[in-house]
Amino acid sequence: MAWVLKMDEAVEAGLVHDFDASLSGIGQELGAAAYSMSDVLALPIFKEEDSGLPLDGDPKQPPFQYILCAATSPAVKLHDESLTYLNQGQSYEIRMLDNRKGGAVPEITGKLVKSIIRVVFHDRRLQYTEHQQLEGWKWNRPGDRLLDLDIPMSVGVIDIRTNPGQLNAVEFLWDPAKHTSVFIQVHCISTEFTPRKHGGEKGVPFRVQVDTFKQNENGDYTDHLHSASCQIKVFKPKGADRKQKTDREKMEKRTAHEKEKYQPSYDTTILSECSPWPVTSASYGSDSPAPAPTFTPAQHSTGSAPENNSSSPNHQGDGISQGSTEQLHPSATIQEAQQWLLRHRFSNYERLFANFSGADLLKLTREDLVQICGPADGIRLYNSLKSRTIRPRLTIYVCQEQPRSTQLERQPDASHGDQSNEAVYVYHAIYLEEMAASEVRQKLASAFNVPLQQINQVYRQGPTGIHVLLSDQVVQNFQDESCFLFTTVKAENSDGFHIILK
């Protein structure tokens, strides 16, 4: 009542205009505060925290939710992504939940959807070389898979498929209307992709990613619906339990104020929404293998790996001679370096080294190349860049006997008088790798420009002038760096000739 009386007095005194202005100013301040708070709530960290609990009627609400039944680490700061520790080879449940409300995505009601679960790298540097890293792991662990499903424990999944060329992925069909749980087993550990000096807890983090698709008009599961992932580290058996205990003990020693800077540990891990793998889902419907790991209809029917993605040491480049041994020079341009990579069966890395000149490639250390290309191709590339000419198994020197008039002669030497006017024979070095008689014949023909088909037989002159047929055993008993003169003898009843080594 007193406030009303004061208002009446203010009206009579003509001050109501100023009062309205004051109210307007207060309203603007409140509006600015509300706008500022809305900006804060719109930050990515708040969006990520709220993404697991979308509001009813939110059109952007994800149709599915995936929960990994493993505890998150308590030693993760508030604004960082959660981290979950797993034991190598242990089965962990992923619950596949239908999160649709209000009749969202009605086209999948009563139908099956396909999900692909992958273990991929978290670090961007390793993502660029994922295929090479996995090939290196496969080379060191033949016959093993990075990811498997524990089929007896899984519920509600059908048509489970694995591709021999995709060791880090499994796929299956499931009905969102039914209870569905899959149990995954991760067989690689984080330190397998880390240099030895950074072992232990410094192992690289992985991501468990789930991509879900619906059928298109042709009945293929290629239309992307939802993707989510979480960050994990994989330890040797029981190592994850010890690491979780260590983190918990460290947090207990911190003060209450310090604990406020860290996330609480939860019994389960909710996978956060992410981009599909690969970035565009178009490659899922392609019949040709894509560079990134994926499953295509053609691979489903045959169960074979993509042929053009092999980067193992035994992979042969199409149309490339395997005998090419020329070295890369520091002066090589970017284009010449690209051609060198192609000739030496490193075509998978042409894009990765697209801006590297010869000098840039030669500066890379063995450790650099192993990190970039994986153990198998990294060591092979290092050996190719630093290669030296391999010493032949056997070297012989051969000269063709010629008439005196065509022989080179030494210049007279004052210290020896005219006695130095002797013939000088010019020898050719013959380098043998196979140490076979056929190899000697081929290299003699090449060194002296003689048609190979005209050489009938090659003989070695033995004791008392006998002619011994040159066989593999005779060649293998040559002493290294032996010298031979050879003469040619016309073969009877033939246009060819024989070669006699003296």
Side-chain angles (χ1 to χ4, degrees):
M1 179 64 70
W3 185 83
V4 174
L5 291 176
K6 293 289 185 182
M7 279 292 296
D8 291 340
E9 294 175 1
V11 170
E12 293 175 0
L15 299 177
V16 69
H17 180 271
D18 295 339
F19 183 78
D20 289 341
S22 300
L23 284 178
S24 176
I26 293 172
Q28 290 178 358
E29 292 180 3
L30 290 174
Y35 180 80
S36 177
M37 182 60 69
S38 66
D39 282 352
V40 172
L41 292 176
L43 291 173
I45 57 172
F46 289 95
K47 285 186 175 181
E48 183 176 349
E49 291 177 357
D50 293 339
S51 62
L53 298 170
L55 298 174
D56 293 342
D58 183 3
K60 296 182 180 180
Q61 176 178 332
F64 305 108
Q65 190 174 62
Y66 318 114
I67 300 177
L68 173 62
C69 295
T72 60
S73 168
V76 178
K77 292 188 176 181
L78 278 177
H79 303 316
D80 293 341
E81 185 180 8
S82 65
L83 177 61
T84 304
Y85 303 130
L86 304 183
N87 288 315
Q88 180 188 23
Q90 182 173 329
S91 296
Y92 291 91
E93 180 185 11
I94 297 181
R95 297 173 186 168
M96 315 288 289
L97 305 179
D98 186 355
N99 202 33
R100 294 176 297 154
K101 291 184 179 180
V105 197
E107 61 269 23
I108 65 172
T109 301
K111 295 184 179 180
L112 299 176
V113 295
K114 181 179 78 171
S115 288
I116 302 175
I117 300 181
R118 293 181 176 85
V119 173
V120 296
F121 289 110
H122 173 76
D123 293 342
R124 187 170 298 276
R125 177 181 61 83
L126 292 173
Q127 289 175 10
Y128 287 128
T129 60
E130 178 168 293
H131 179 71
Q132 290 74 32
Q133 296 286 346
L134 299 186
E135 281 293 324
W137 187 89
K138 177 182 177 181
W139 184 259
N140 294 323
R141 301 268 297 272
D144 290 349
R145 290 186 55 83
L146 279 86
L147 178 67
D148 272 323
L149 281 192
D150 190 340
I151 298 177
M153 295 186 67
S154 299
V155 178
V157 295
I158 61 174
D159 198 16
I160 300 171
R161 300 187 184 188
T162 58
N163 190 309
Q166 310 294 339
L167 303 180
N168 63 327
V170 293
E171 68 171 47
F172 52 87
L173 301 180
W174 59 289
D175 187 349
K178 298 181 180 179
H179 171 67
T180 304
S181 288
V182 294
F183 284 77
I184 64 169
Q185 297 172 331
V186 183
H187 298 294
C188 61
I189 59 176
S190 294
T191 52
E192 288 185 280
F193 301 94
T194 308
R196 189 177 300 275
K197 61 183 178 181
H198 297 305
E201 296 181 4
K202 298 297 183 180
V204 301
F206 302 116
R207 302 195 70 81
V208 172
Q209 176 156 338
V210 182
D211 298 290
T212 300
F213 303 86
K214 65 179 180 180
Q215 283 182 307
N216 60 13
E217 297 176 353
N218 299 325
D220 298 323
Y221 291 92
T222 57
D223 290 349
H224 178 258
L225 285 172
H226 182 242
S227 294
S229 66
C230 67
Q231 184 181 193
I232 64 168
K233 276 192 177 183
V234 186
F235 295 80
K236 290 183 178 180
K238 298 186 178 180
D241 306 321
R242 291 193 294 269
K243 176 60 176 166
Q244 187 79 358
K245 181 181 178 182
T246 301
D247 285 359
R248 189 167 56 249
E249 291 173 348
K250 287 181 179 179
M251 292 306 301
E252 290 173 354
K253 295 178 182 179
R254 297 183 182 273
T255 64
H257 178 69
E258 290 176 333
K259 289 180 181 179
E260 292 177 357
K261 300 178 182 179
Y262 291 84
Q263 300 178 17
S265 177
Y266 296 100
D267 293 337
T268 59
T269 305
I270 298 178
L271 277 65
S272 303
E273 284 191 275
C274 64
S275 300
W277 183 272
V279 177
T280 58
S281 59
S283 61
Y284 285 96
S286 172
D287 289 333
S288 60
T294 182
F295 291 86
T296 65
Q299 292 171 7
H300 286 315
S301 61
T302 62
S304 62
E307 295 180 359
N308 65 345
N309 264 347
S310 175
S311 64
S312 67
N314 294 327
H315 175 57
Q316 304 294 323
D318 295 337
I320 303 301
S321 172
Q322 302 306 312
S324 178
T325 59
E326 73 275 12
Q327 289 187 336
L328 181 66
H329 296 285
S331 59
T333 64
I334 293 176
Q335 292 76 13
E336 291 171 343
Q338 292 285 294
Q339 293 172 2
W340 184 91
L341 288 170
L342 181 62
R343 287 195 299 270
H344 288 76
R345 298 180 290 117
F346 295 105
S347 56
N348 289 336
Y349 304 99
E350 285 184 281
R351 190 172 182 180
L352 186 62
F353 296 118
N355 297 319
F356 281 64
S357 65
D360 295 331
L361 285 172
L362 290 169
K363 287 177 183 176
L364 296 174
T365 64
R366 186 176 186 271
E367 290 73 20
D368 293 336
L369 293 170
V370 168
Q371 284 192 10
I372 294 172
C373 306
D377 280 351
I379 294 173
R380 189 167 67 89
L381 179 52
Y382 176 79
N383 290 338
S384 298
L385 289 170
K386 309 295 182 182
S387 64
R388 293 174 292 181
T389 303
I390 300 174
R391 184 176 177 83
R393 297 176 63 189
L394 179 66
T395 302
I396 60 175
Y397 304 104
V398 180
C399 176
Q400 185 173 8
E401 233 178 6
Q402 297 177 352
R404 175 80 179 182
S405 59
T406 61
Q407 294 171 357
L408 295 178
E409 296 186 353
R410 296 180 186 272
Q411 295 298 324
D413 191 322
S415 62
H416 294 86
D418 294 336
Q419 293 180 357
S420 64
N421 191 18
E422 298 176 354
V424 176
Y425 293 98
V426 178
Y427 285 79
H428 290 260
I430 304 294
Y431 301 106
L432 303 176
E433 298 292 344
E434 300 175 5
M435 298 179 67
S438 58
E439 185 183 16
V440 174
R441 184 186 307 182
Q442 292 172 1
K443 295 196 173 182
L444 283 173
S446 176
F448 295 96
N449 296 319
V450 176
L452 179 61
Q453 61 272 17
Q454 291 187 11
I455 303 177
N456 288 0
Q457 296 292 347
V458 180
Y459 299 97
R460 166 76 188 277
Q461 185 170 304
T464 68
I466 62 174
H467 295 164
V468 180
L469 182 64
L470 196 71
S471 63
D472 294 348
Q473 290 78 10
V474 172
V475 174
Q476 291 164 9
N477 282 280
F478 281 169
Q479 289 190 357
D480 194 26
E481 297 192 336
S482 299
C483 298
F484 298 98
L485 288 174
F486 78 87
T487 58
T488 58
V489 178
K490 183 173 176 59
E492 297 180 359
N493 303 324
S494 173
D495 293 335
F497 55 86
H498 305 305
I499 292 180
I500 302 174
L501 299 176
K502 299 180 180 179

